[in-house]
């Protein structure tokens, strides 16, 4: 595949999902669980394709996500360190994260450890903006992130290696195997790095990481009606970090698998899948016998159906069931969750209408009903105006409910009510949208110091539904070509307010701006990425300084199969601090070489 073709595919994918424009080459899944063209979705869905991942040459998933409008990243150091993802100002545990349809949010913390996921295993990422609890259930208050693992057809294979700053190294390989009317992809990657001193404290050391990831992704067509599919992912490794609570290392050992069957008969499609995921972390201090082990297991069953009774009407519905269990000294260590949902969409000439509703019964927690109502009006040549309103919720975690000595089993689910208005355009070489959103989040679960000490003279903390937040802002994205360059522009204005304290929420900045310019000629390509992060409020009246980050990527196609890339991150050596007391990386250099047989 030539460089020009690769860049055209990237531009096409980004443009189609950043706007509401039509294209037959891009398919999205996360909006309603079934393959559909982006112009049939009434919510903003940003995608990151494999060709763009290769161009960015990231060392973490956070490197990919922070380039998207409305997505903000907070890092406790560099690659391998904890990074939290926020969508439109929502908390990091208000973002549902899926890998090939499997939930991976921790049932103890609620968030996801993105540092354990290798970008080498990712085929594409879809990010849905705004609440989608009416389709996916709990956690989807700010949005949904779905990661799809790599797929290779029979005879396709790749191998690659990279080296970089702080003794970074990466090896990766994958192969596609055919079996009749089916195929299976097998992938393997290993990464490690010495890192740098993550925290500004008395522990002056480098905080490195290593991870090994193995993946399988396959499918088999049995006949015209039946197909089978299977995915599996295994991640293991170690992260070093600086902490005030005794630990400085963590071993992780995570896996997920999913087996599915799909039936197609005319206008009816049905999908049934069963899967499991485990999130395991063993936190300890080197040389100390004390360990803190956190483990979540989730068994999951999904049944989804789509019926197309006419050219203008789409009906979707299904049932989700999953059992969550945790390891630890909890009063309750497992619970069942049952969800039933339905969606109807009508395409009526200039109008596109959608309504969805879902009922969730969370064991030992009040049940929740979520809904979305959306309408889009298409006018002119390539213009569309979309309005939507929806609700969402997040069930309390096991730590919130049952943490020994502090948990509160009477907690209610956090709830949200969101409205947004989006104007989009596609045509004349432009793909753009402007979105205005308003999200009220109530019954937020907050931990607070009771002012009482225990027998060991430690502060006693408690938790309750005592906080409220208002998240509102503007999101802008424009993609176009000019002067031989492909341009991507993204800007987010965010007003995130603590409604009770009448002050700005911590960890959010009002302004974020991204600009990317790419140029390709003969065997060369060059990409310049610029990211601006506005000041962020920390505790009290303290603010983190704004910063500018410039990355540069230069690639050369040695032959049809061989490719080499030189990448520089933070080229201007800016001091990048996204979390108080944590250091950011200086200038980083990476050199990679890859061979692909596609």
């Amino acid at each position: 595949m030539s460089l020009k073709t690769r860049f055209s595919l990237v531009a096409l994918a980004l443009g189609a999902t950043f706007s509401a424009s039509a294209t037959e080459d891009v398919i999205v899944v996360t909006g309603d669980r079934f393959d559909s063209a982006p112009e049939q979705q009434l919510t903003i869905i940003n995608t990151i394709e494999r060709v763009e991942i290769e161009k960015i040459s990231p060392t973490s998933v956070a490197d990919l996500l922070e380039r998207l409008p409305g997505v903000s990243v907070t890092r406790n150091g560099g690659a391998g360190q904890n990074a939290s993802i926020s969508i439109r100002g929502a908390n990091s545990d208000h973002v549902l994260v899926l890998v090939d349809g499997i939930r991976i949010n921790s049932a103890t913390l609620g968030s996801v450890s993105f540092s354990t996921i290798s970008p080498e295993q990712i085929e594409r990422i879809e990010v849905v903006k705004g609440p989608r609890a009416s389709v996916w259930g709990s956690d989807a208050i700010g949005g949904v992130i779905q990661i799809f693992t790599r797929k290779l057809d029979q005879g396709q294979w790749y191998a690659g290696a990279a080296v970089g700053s702080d003794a970074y190294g990466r090896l990766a390989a994958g192969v596609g195997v055919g079996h009749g009317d089916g195929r299976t992809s097998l992938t393997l990657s290993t990464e490690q790095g010495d890192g740098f001193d993550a925290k500004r404290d008395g522990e002056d050391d480098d905080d490195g990481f290593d991870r090994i990831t193995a993946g399988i992704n396959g499918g088999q067509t049995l006949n015209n009606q039946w197909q089978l599919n299977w995915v599996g992912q295994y991640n293991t490794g170690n992260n070093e970090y600086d902490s005030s609570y005794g630990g400085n290392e963590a071993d992780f050992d995570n896996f997920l698998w999913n087996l599915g069957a799909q039936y197609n008969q005319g206008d009816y499609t049905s999908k049934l899948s069963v899967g499991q995921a485990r999130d395991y972390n063993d936190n300890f201090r080197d040389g100390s016998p004390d360990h803190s082990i956190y483990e979540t297991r989730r068994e999951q069953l999904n049944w989804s159906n789509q019926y197309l009774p006419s050219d203008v009407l789409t009906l979707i519905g299904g049932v989700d069931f999953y059992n969550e269990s945790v390891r630890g000294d909890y009063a309750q260590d497992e619970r069942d969750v049952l969800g039933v949902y339905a969606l109807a969409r009508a395409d009526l000439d200039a109008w596109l209408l959608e309504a969805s509703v879902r009922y969730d019964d969370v064991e030992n927690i009040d049940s929740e009903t979520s809904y979305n109502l959306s309408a889009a009006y298409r006018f002119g040549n390539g213009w569309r105006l979309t309005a939507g309103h929806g609700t969402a919720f997040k069930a309390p975690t096991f730590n919130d409910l049952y943490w020994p000595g502090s948990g509160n089993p009477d907690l209610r689910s956090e709830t949200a009510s969101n409205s947004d208005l989006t104007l989009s355009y596609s045509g004349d070489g432009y793909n753009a949208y402007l979105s205005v959103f308003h999200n009220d989040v109530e019954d937020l679960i907050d931990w607070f110091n009771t002012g009482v000490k225990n027998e060991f003279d430690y502060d006693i903390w408690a938790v309750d539904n005592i906080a409220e937040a208002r998240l509102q802002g503007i999101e802008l994205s424009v993609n176009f070509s000019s002067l031989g360059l492909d341009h991507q522009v993204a800007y987010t204005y965010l007003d995130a307010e603590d409604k009770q304290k009448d002050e700005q929420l911590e960890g959010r900045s009002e302004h974020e701006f991204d600009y990317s310019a790419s140029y390709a000629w003969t065997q060369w390509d060059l990409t310049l990425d610029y990211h601006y992060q506005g000041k962020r409020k920390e505790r009290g009246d303290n603010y983190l300084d704004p910063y500018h980050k410039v990355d540069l990527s230069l690639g050369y196609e040695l032959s049809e199969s061989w490719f080499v890339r030189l990448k520089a991150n933070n080229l201007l050596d800016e001091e990048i601090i996204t979390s108080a007391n944590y250091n950011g990386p200086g200038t980083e250099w990476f050199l990679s070489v890859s061979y692909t047989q596609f």
Side-chain angles (χ1 to χ4, degrees), residues 18 44 46 65-72 86-88 127 129 433 475-478 489-492 512 514:
F18 280 162
I44 294 175
N46 302 149
L65 294 174
E66 74 173 348
R67 306 173 78 250
L68 298 178
V71 178
S72 185
S86 172
I87 297 179
R88 292 183 169 180
V127 180
K129 305 295 183 61
Y433 72 78
E475 186 176 303
L476 170 69
S477 176
V478 182
V489 180
Y491 169 73
T492 304
E512 287 195 42
D514 286 277

PDB file of all heavy atoms in Angstrom, residues 18 44 46 65-72 86-88 127 129 433 475-478 489-492 512 514:
ATOM      1  N   PHE A  18     -15.671  12.487  12.129  1.00  0.00           N
ATOM      2  CA  PHE A  18     -15.696  13.782  12.790  1.00  0.00           C
ATOM      3  C   PHE A  18     -16.954  14.552  12.400  1.00  0.00           C
ATOM      4  O   PHE A  18     -17.408  15.422  13.106  1.00  0.00           O
ATOM      5  CB  PHE A  18     -14.468  14.606  12.420  1.00  0.00           C
ATOM      6  CG  PHE A  18     -13.241  14.236  13.183  1.00  0.00           C
ATOM      7  CD1 PHE A  18     -12.001  14.617  12.730  1.00  0.00           C
ATOM      8  CD2 PHE A  18     -13.312  13.514  14.359  1.00  0.00           C
ATOM      9  CE1 PHE A  18     -10.858  14.294  13.432  1.00  0.00           C
ATOM     10  CE2 PHE A  18     -12.181  13.184  15.060  1.00  0.00           C
ATOM     11  CZ  PHE A  18     -10.953  13.570  14.596  1.00  0.00           C
ATOM     12  N   ILE A  44     -21.811  12.010  17.899  1.00  0.00           N
ATOM     13  CA  ILE A  44     -20.470  12.176  17.347  1.00  0.00           C
ATOM     14  C   ILE A  44     -19.633  10.950  17.691  1.00  0.00           C
ATOM     15  O   ILE A  44     -19.546  10.547  18.853  1.00  0.00           O
ATOM     16  CB  ILE A  44     -19.809  13.445  17.892  1.00  0.00           C
ATOM     17  CG1 ILE A  44     -20.549  14.681  17.392  1.00  0.00           C
ATOM     18  CG2 ILE A  44     -18.343  13.514  17.486  1.00  0.00           C
ATOM     19  CD1 ILE A  44     -20.047  15.973  17.984  1.00  0.00           C
ATOM     20  N   ASN A  46     -15.749   9.705  16.969  1.00  0.00           N
ATOM     21  CA  ASN A  46     -14.401   9.887  16.439  1.00  0.00           C
ATOM     22  C   ASN A  46     -13.731   8.529  16.321  1.00  0.00           C
ATOM     23  O   ASN A  46     -13.924   7.658  17.182  1.00  0.00           O
ATOM     24  CB  ASN A  46     -13.548  10.766  17.352  1.00  0.00           C
ATOM     25  CG  ASN A  46     -14.143  12.148  17.575  1.00  0.00           C
ATOM     26  OD1 ASN A  46     -13.956  12.726  18.636  1.00  0.00           O
ATOM     27  ND2 ASN A  46     -14.854  12.691  16.610  1.00  0.00           N
ATOM     28  N   LEU A  65      -5.509   9.031  22.292  1.00  0.00           N
ATOM     29  CA  LEU A  65      -6.796   9.628  22.642  1.00  0.00           C
ATOM     30  C   LEU A  65      -6.717  11.131  22.849  1.00  0.00           C
ATOM     31  O   LEU A  65      -7.679  11.854  22.569  1.00  0.00           O
ATOM     32  CB  LEU A  65      -7.344   8.956  23.900  1.00  0.00           C
ATOM     33  CG  LEU A  65      -7.708   7.474  23.748  1.00  0.00           C
ATOM     34  CD1 LEU A  65      -8.105   6.889  25.095  1.00  0.00           C
ATOM     35  CD2 LEU A  65      -8.834   7.291  22.742  1.00  0.00           C
ATOM     36  N   GLU A  66      -5.583  11.646  23.340  1.00  0.00           N
ATOM     37  CA  GLU A  66      -5.527  13.077  23.650  1.00  0.00           C
ATOM     38  C   GLU A  66      -5.550  13.952  22.400  1.00  0.00           C
ATOM     39  O   GLU A  66      -5.729  15.166  22.506  1.00  0.00           O
ATOM     40  CB  GLU A  66      -4.286  13.398  24.478  1.00  0.00           C
ATOM     41  CG  GLU A  66      -2.968  13.382  23.727  1.00  0.00           C
ATOM     42  CD  GLU A  66      -1.827  13.883  24.595  1.00  0.00           C
ATOM     43  OE1 GLU A  66      -2.100  14.442  25.667  1.00  0.00           O
ATOM     44  OE2 GLU A  66      -0.661  13.702  24.190  1.00  0.00           O
ATOM     45  N   ARG A  67      -5.415  13.377  21.210  1.00  0.00           N
ATOM     46  CA  ARG A  67      -5.459  14.141  19.974  1.00  0.00           C
ATOM     47  C   ARG A  67      -6.896  14.426  19.527  1.00  0.00           C
ATOM     48  O   ARG A  67      -7.114  15.214  18.619  1.00  0.00           O
ATOM     49  CB  ARG A  67      -4.718  13.395  18.862  1.00  0.00           C
ATOM     50  CG  ARG A  67      -3.298  13.011  19.211  1.00  0.00           C
ATOM     51  CD  ARG A  67      -2.658  12.123  18.161  1.00  0.00           C
ATOM     52  NE  ARG A  67      -2.213  12.883  17.002  1.00  0.00           N
ATOM     53  CZ  ARG A  67      -2.768  12.820  15.818  1.00  0.00           C
ATOM     54  NH1 ARG A  67      -3.831  12.049  15.642  1.00  0.00           N
ATOM     55  NH2 ARG A  67      -2.307  13.519  14.812  1.00  0.00           N
ATOM     56  N   LEU A  68      -7.880  13.774  20.176  1.00  0.00           N
ATOM     57  CA  LEU A  68      -9.270  13.914  19.762  1.00  0.00           C
ATOM     58  C   LEU A  68      -9.926  15.098  20.457  1.00  0.00           C
ATOM     59  O   LEU A  68      -9.650  15.384  21.625  1.00  0.00           O
ATOM     60  CB  LEU A  68     -10.054  12.637  20.097  1.00  0.00           C
ATOM     61  CG  LEU A  68      -9.587  11.353  19.416  1.00  0.00           C
ATOM     62  CD1 LEU A  68     -10.428  10.180  19.890  1.00  0.00           C
ATOM     63  CD2 LEU A  68      -9.643  11.471  17.903  1.00  0.00           C
ATOM     64  N   PRO A  69     -10.816  15.799  19.773  1.00  0.00           N
ATOM     65  CA  PRO A  69     -11.537  16.911  20.414  1.00  0.00           C
ATOM     66  C   PRO A  69     -12.406  16.403  21.551  1.00  0.00           C
ATOM     67  O   PRO A  69     -13.020  15.330  21.462  1.00  0.00           O
ATOM     68  CB  PRO A  69     -12.377  17.486  19.267  1.00  0.00           C
ATOM     69  CG  PRO A  69     -12.497  16.373  18.281  1.00  0.00           C
ATOM     70  CD  PRO A  69     -11.227  15.594  18.378  1.00  0.00           C
ATOM     71  N   GLY A  70     -12.454  17.175  22.647  1.00  0.00           N
ATOM     72  CA  GLY A  70     -13.288  16.812  23.773  1.00  0.00           C
ATOM     73  C   GLY A  70     -12.719  15.751  24.686  1.00  0.00           C
ATOM     74  O   GLY A  70     -13.336  15.401  25.688  1.00  0.00           O
ATOM     75  N   VAL A  71     -11.523  15.221  24.355  1.00  0.00           N
ATOM     76  CA  VAL A  71     -10.889  14.180  25.163  1.00  0.00           C
ATOM     77  C   VAL A  71      -9.664  14.776  25.848  1.00  0.00           C
ATOM     78  O   VAL A  71      -8.789  15.341  25.184  1.00  0.00           O
ATOM     79  CB  VAL A  71     -10.479  12.963  24.316  1.00  0.00           C
ATOM     80  CG1 VAL A  71      -9.784  11.918  25.179  1.00  0.00           C
ATOM     81  CG2 VAL A  71     -11.698  12.366  23.628  1.00  0.00           C
ATOM     82  N   SER A  72      -9.610  14.657  27.160  1.00  0.00           N
ATOM     83  CA  SER A  72      -8.518  15.226  27.946  1.00  0.00           C
ATOM     84  C   SER A  72      -7.812  14.115  28.712  1.00  0.00           C
ATOM     85  O   SER A  72      -8.453  13.190  29.212  1.00  0.00           O
ATOM     86  CB  SER A  72      -9.040  16.283  28.914  1.00  0.00           C
ATOM     87  OG  SER A  72      -7.989  16.915  29.598  1.00  0.00           O
ATOM     88  N   SER A  86     -10.676  11.725  30.311  1.00  0.00           N
ATOM     89  CA  SER A  86     -11.935  12.420  30.529  1.00  0.00           C
ATOM     90  C   SER A  86     -12.534  12.821  29.184  1.00  0.00           C
ATOM     91  O   SER A  86     -11.821  13.283  28.293  1.00  0.00           O
ATOM     92  CB  SER A  86     -11.711  13.667  31.402  1.00  0.00           C
ATOM     93  OG  SER A  86     -12.883  14.454  31.476  1.00  0.00           O
ATOM     94  N   ILE A  87     -13.843  12.630  29.027  1.00  0.00           N
ATOM     95  CA  ILE A  87     -14.549  13.050  27.822  1.00  0.00           C
ATOM     96  C   ILE A  87     -15.521  14.154  28.199  1.00  0.00           C
ATOM     97  O   ILE A  87     -16.392  13.965  29.056  1.00  0.00           O
ATOM     98  CB  ILE A  87     -15.301  11.880  27.163  1.00  0.00           C
ATOM     99  CG1 ILE A  87     -14.313  10.807  26.695  1.00  0.00           C
ATOM    100  CG2 ILE A  87     -16.129  12.370  25.981  1.00  0.00           C
ATOM    101  CD1 ILE A  87     -14.975   9.611  26.045  1.00  0.00           C
ATOM    102  N   ARG A  88     -15.338  15.320  27.599  1.00  0.00           N
ATOM    103  CA  ARG A  88     -16.200  16.484  27.841  1.00  0.00           C
ATOM    104  C   ARG A  88     -16.326  16.808  29.324  1.00  0.00           C
ATOM    105  O   ARG A  88     -17.391  17.165  29.812  1.00  0.00           O
ATOM    106  CB  ARG A  88     -17.568  16.278  27.199  1.00  0.00           C
ATOM    107  CG  ARG A  88     -17.512  16.281  25.678  1.00  0.00           C
ATOM    108  CD  ARG A  88     -18.884  16.154  25.048  1.00  0.00           C
ATOM    109  NE  ARG A  88     -18.833  16.425  23.608  1.00  0.00           N
ATOM    110  CZ  ARG A  88     -19.883  16.389  22.806  1.00  0.00           C
ATOM    111  NH1 ARG A  88     -21.078  16.097  23.287  1.00  0.00           N
ATOM    112  NH2 ARG A  88     -19.756  16.649  21.518  1.00  0.00           N
ATOM    113  N   VAL A 127     -14.641   6.403  19.580  1.00  0.00           N
ATOM    114  CA  VAL A 127     -14.969   7.186  20.769  1.00  0.00           C
ATOM    115  C   VAL A 127     -16.314   7.857  20.541  1.00  0.00           C
ATOM    116  O   VAL A 127     -16.452   8.707  19.651  1.00  0.00           O
ATOM    117  CB  VAL A 127     -13.893   8.238  21.080  1.00  0.00           C
ATOM    118  CG1 VAL A 127     -14.279   9.036  22.323  1.00  0.00           C
ATOM    119  CG2 VAL A 127     -12.530   7.570  21.276  1.00  0.00           C
ATOM    120  N   LYS A 129     -19.171  10.349  21.850  1.00  0.00           N
ATOM    121  CA  LYS A 129     -19.289  11.497  22.742  1.00  0.00           C
ATOM    122  C   LYS A 129     -20.688  11.573  23.351  1.00  0.00           C
ATOM    123  O   LYS A 129     -21.692  11.369  22.670  1.00  0.00           O
ATOM    124  CB  LYS A 129     -19.004  12.795  21.974  1.00  0.00           C
ATOM    125  CG  LYS A 129     -17.661  12.815  21.254  1.00  0.00           C
ATOM    126  CD  LYS A 129     -16.507  12.766  22.239  1.00  0.00           C
ATOM    127  CE  LYS A 129     -15.187  12.860  21.529  1.00  0.00           C
ATOM    128  NZ  LYS A 129     -15.017  14.110  20.779  1.00  0.00           N
ATOM    129  N   TYR A 433     -17.428  19.853  12.181  1.00  0.00           N
ATOM    130  CA  TYR A 433     -18.608  19.952  13.025  1.00  0.00           C
ATOM    131  C   TYR A 433     -18.342  20.928  14.158  1.00  0.00           C
ATOM    132  O   TYR A 433     -17.205  21.157  14.576  1.00  0.00           O
ATOM    133  CB  TYR A 433     -19.041  18.586  13.575  1.00  0.00           C
ATOM    134  CG  TYR A 433     -18.158  17.997  14.652  1.00  0.00           C
ATOM    135  CD1 TYR A 433     -18.220  18.443  15.970  1.00  0.00           C
ATOM    136  CD2 TYR A 433     -17.279  16.956  14.359  1.00  0.00           C
ATOM    137  CE1 TYR A 433     -17.445  17.891  16.965  1.00  0.00           C
ATOM    138  CE2 TYR A 433     -16.487  16.392  15.340  1.00  0.00           C
ATOM    139  CZ  TYR A 433     -16.566  16.864  16.648  1.00  0.00           C
ATOM    140  OH  TYR A 433     -15.785  16.312  17.624  1.00  0.00           O
ATOM    141  N   GLU A 475     -17.353  22.142  21.235  1.00  0.00           N
ATOM    142  CA  GLU A 475     -16.359  21.260  20.619  1.00  0.00           C
ATOM    143  C   GLU A 475     -16.350  21.516  19.114  1.00  0.00           C
ATOM    144  O   GLU A 475     -17.396  21.506  18.468  1.00  0.00           O
ATOM    145  CB  GLU A 475     -16.734  19.813  20.913  1.00  0.00           C
ATOM    146  CG  GLU A 475     -15.739  18.774  20.472  1.00  0.00           C
ATOM    147  CD  GLU A 475     -16.189  17.385  20.907  1.00  0.00           C
ATOM    148  OE1 GLU A 475     -16.395  17.192  22.128  1.00  0.00           O
ATOM    149  OE2 GLU A 475     -16.380  16.517  20.042  1.00  0.00           O
ATOM    150  N   LEU A 476     -15.164  21.770  18.573  1.00  0.00           N
ATOM    151  CA  LEU A 476     -15.017  22.101  17.153  1.00  0.00           C
ATOM    152  C   LEU A 476     -13.980  21.198  16.511  1.00  0.00           C
ATOM    153  O   LEU A 476     -12.902  20.969  17.080  1.00  0.00           O
ATOM    154  CB  LEU A 476     -14.592  23.567  16.997  1.00  0.00           C
ATOM    155  CG  LEU A 476     -14.171  24.023  15.590  1.00  0.00           C
ATOM    156  CD1 LEU A 476     -15.378  24.041  14.657  1.00  0.00           C
ATOM    157  CD2 LEU A 476     -13.506  25.392  15.642  1.00  0.00           C
ATOM    158  N   SER A 477     -14.285  20.702  15.320  1.00  0.00           N
ATOM    159  CA  SER A 477     -13.332  19.900  14.553  1.00  0.00           C
ATOM    160  C   SER A 477     -13.463  20.248  13.074  1.00  0.00           C
ATOM    161  O   SER A 477     -14.580  20.322  12.543  1.00  0.00           O
ATOM    162  CB  SER A 477     -13.594  18.405  14.758  1.00  0.00           C
ATOM    163  OG  SER A 477     -12.742  17.632  13.943  1.00  0.00           O
ATOM    164  N   VAL A 478     -12.321  20.479  12.419  1.00  0.00           N
ATOM    165  CA  VAL A 478     -12.296  20.794  10.988  1.00  0.00           C
ATOM    166  C   VAL A 478     -11.152  20.015  10.358  1.00  0.00           C
ATOM    167  O   VAL A 478     -10.011  20.086  10.820  1.00  0.00           O
ATOM    168  CB  VAL A 478     -12.095  22.299  10.732  1.00  0.00           C
ATOM    169  CG1 VAL A 478     -12.127  22.582   9.230  1.00  0.00           C
ATOM    170  CG2 VAL A 478     -13.148  23.123  11.453  1.00  0.00           C
ATOM    171  N   VAL A 489      -7.879  20.237  12.641  1.00  0.00           N
ATOM    172  CA  VAL A 489      -7.976  21.261  13.675  1.00  0.00           C
ATOM    173  C   VAL A 489      -9.054  20.839  14.667  1.00  0.00           C
ATOM    174  O   VAL A 489     -10.149  20.427  14.268  1.00  0.00           O
ATOM    175  CB  VAL A 489      -8.325  22.637  13.074  1.00  0.00           C
ATOM    176  CG1 VAL A 489      -8.416  23.690  14.178  1.00  0.00           C
ATOM    177  CG2 VAL A 489      -7.292  23.042  12.028  1.00  0.00           C
ATOM    178  N   ALA A 490      -8.738  20.919  15.961  1.00  0.00           N
ATOM    179  CA  ALA A 490      -9.705  20.562  16.996  1.00  0.00           C
ATOM    180  C   ALA A 490      -9.568  21.537  18.153  1.00  0.00           C
ATOM    181  O   ALA A 490      -8.447  21.854  18.587  1.00  0.00           O
ATOM    182  CB  ALA A 490      -9.483  19.132  17.479  1.00  0.00           C
ATOM    183  N   TYR A 491     -10.704  22.009  18.664  1.00  0.00           N
ATOM    184  CA  TYR A 491     -10.706  22.934  19.798  1.00  0.00           C
ATOM    185  C   TYR A 491     -11.865  22.583  20.722  1.00  0.00           C
ATOM    186  O   TYR A 491     -12.969  22.258  20.261  1.00  0.00           O
ATOM    187  CB  TYR A 491     -10.859  24.382  19.332  1.00  0.00           C
ATOM    188  CG  TYR A 491     -11.142  25.351  20.457  1.00  0.00           C
ATOM    189  CD1 TYR A 491     -10.150  25.704  21.365  1.00  0.00           C
ATOM    190  CD2 TYR A 491     -12.424  25.869  20.635  1.00  0.00           C
ATOM    191  CE1 TYR A 491     -10.422  26.567  22.419  1.00  0.00           C
ATOM    192  CE2 TYR A 491     -12.701  26.744  21.678  1.00  0.00           C
ATOM    193  CZ  TYR A 491     -11.696  27.084  22.569  1.00  0.00           C
ATOM    194  OH  TYR A 491     -11.967  27.934  23.617  1.00  0.00           O
ATOM    195  N   THR A 492     -11.608  22.635  22.028  1.00  0.00           N
ATOM    196  CA  THR A 492     -12.644  22.385  23.027  1.00  0.00           C
ATOM    197  C   THR A 492     -12.622  23.487  24.074  1.00  0.00           C
ATOM    198  O   THR A 492     -11.567  23.798  24.643  1.00  0.00           O
ATOM    199  CB  THR A 492     -12.423  21.031  23.724  1.00  0.00           C
ATOM    200  OG1 THR A 492     -12.363  19.990  22.751  1.00  0.00           O
ATOM    201  CG2 THR A 492     -13.567  20.745  24.695  1.00  0.00           C
ATOM    202  N   GLU A 512      -8.563  23.617  25.221  1.00  0.00           N
ATOM    203  CA  GLU A 512      -7.626  22.655  24.625  1.00  0.00           C
ATOM    204  C   GLU A 512      -7.686  22.827  23.116  1.00  0.00           C
ATOM    205  O   GLU A 512      -8.758  22.996  22.536  1.00  0.00           O
ATOM    206  CB  GLU A 512      -7.978  21.212  25.004  1.00  0.00           C
ATOM    207  CG  GLU A 512      -7.657  20.854  26.437  1.00  0.00           C
ATOM    208  CD  GLU A 512      -7.664  19.352  26.684  1.00  0.00           C
ATOM    209  OE1 GLU A 512      -7.133  18.612  25.824  1.00  0.00           O
ATOM    210  OE2 GLU A 512      -8.200  18.918  27.720  1.00  0.00           O
ATOM    211  N   ASP A 514      -5.811  21.408  19.316  1.00  0.00           N
ATOM    212  CA  ASP A 514      -4.932  20.485  18.597  1.00  0.00           C
ATOM    213  C   ASP A 514      -4.899  20.870  17.128  1.00  0.00           C
ATOM    214  O   ASP A 514      -5.928  21.196  16.526  1.00  0.00           O
ATOM    215  CB  ASP A 514      -5.433  19.047  18.726  1.00  0.00           C
ATOM    216  CG  ASP A 514      -5.177  18.456  20.092  1.00  0.00           C
ATOM    217  OD1 ASP A 514      -4.064  17.975  20.327  1.00  0.00           O
ATOM    218  OD2 ASP A 514      -6.101  18.489  20.934  1.00  0.00           O
TER     219      ASP A 514
END
